[in-house]
């Protein structure tokens, strides 16, 4: 996210530099539109999915993974843990984390106001999983 913000600042500063020579350009309109566009793009991109895939790639290269960090992410992290379990079920502690999440998903009763597609996908995958 820091890198994307730095790119956003470069675009803003380049436009401001161009504004020095072309006085008819409006800084406020460009700043407002580009900030709105940046905000929208950052909310549409699934940042947690990128984090999960990079962590799994790092695990495949180095053999090190932080299960508790992936567990602390939203339901995208759970989907990543399920993917990791399918590839490597003997990973220490992974079965316990998934069993705990499976029990939580069985007990949770979410109303329609808090509907989340990733949560539904994760709960369906957890129900299909046979851990015991």
């Amino acid at each position: 996210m820091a890198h994307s913000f730095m790119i956003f600042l470069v675009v803003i500063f380049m436009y401001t530099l161009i504004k020095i020579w072309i006085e008819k350009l409006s800084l406020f309109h460009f700043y407002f539109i580009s900030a709105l566009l940046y905000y929208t793009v950052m909310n549409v991109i699934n940042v947690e999915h990128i984090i999960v895939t990079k962590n799994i790639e790092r695990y495949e290269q180095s053999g090190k993974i932080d299960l508790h960090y992936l567990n602390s992410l939203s339901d995208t992290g759970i989907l990543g843990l399920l993917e990791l379990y399918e590839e490597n079920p003997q990973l220490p502690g992974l079965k316990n984390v998934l069993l705990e999440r499976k029990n939580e998903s069985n007990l949770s009763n979410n109303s329609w106001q808090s509907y989340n597609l990733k949560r539904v996908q994760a709960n369906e995958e957890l129900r299909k999983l046979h851990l015991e």
Side-chain angles (χ1 to χ4, degrees):
M1 294 189 79
H3 288 95
S4 70
F5 188 71
M6 289 170 49
I7 293 169
F8 171 69
L9 287 178
V10 166
V11 170
I12 293 285
F13 292 149
M14 287 178 64
Y15 185 83
T16 305
L17 186 63
I18 293 169
K19 166 72 168 106
I20 292 173
W21 289 288
I22 304 173
E23 295 180 12
K24 293 182 181 181
L25 297 177
S26 171
L27 283 179
F28 177 75
H29 288 108
F30 181 77
Y31 287 173
F32 182 75
I33 291 169
S34 61
L36 189 62
L37 183 66
Y38 174 75
Y39 179 77
T40 304
V41 167
M42 290 309 293
N43 281 307
V44 169
I45 293 175
N46 192 355
V47 177
E48 287 191 356
H49 179 69
I50 296 170
I51 292 170
V52 169
T53 55
K54 294 295 181 186
N55 272 291
I56 290 175
E57 287 175 10
R58 186 189 69 185
Y59 169 71
E60 291 170 354
Q61 293 174 356
S62 67
K64 296 178 183 179
I65 192 153
D66 189 359
L67 297 176
H68 299 292
Y69 174 67
L70 291 178
N71 189 31
S72 70
L73 296 175
S74 69
D75 296 299
T76 306
I78 301 303
L79 291 171
L81 289 174
L82 288 166
E83 178 184 328
L84 191 62
Y85 183 77
E86 290 173 2
E87 295 173 7
N88 195 357
Q90 70 275 9
L91 192 65
L94 180 58
K95 187 175 181 180
N96 293 334
V97 169
L98 289 175
L99 187 61
E100 180 181 320
R101 284 297 217 162
K102 185 175 182 176
N103 291 335
E104 287 176 10
S105 71
N106 289 336
L107 295 176
S108 68
N109 186 10
N110 296 322
S111 63
W112 65 271
Q113 293 99 342
S114 63
Y115 181 80
N116 186 319
L117 183 60
K118 290 291 181 185
R119 182 180 306 136
V120 171
Q121 290 173 347
N123 287 343
E124 287 175 2
E125 293 296 320
L126 282 170
R127 287 187 187 108
K128 292 178 189 175
L129 193 64
H130 299 288
L131 292 171
E132 293 137 25

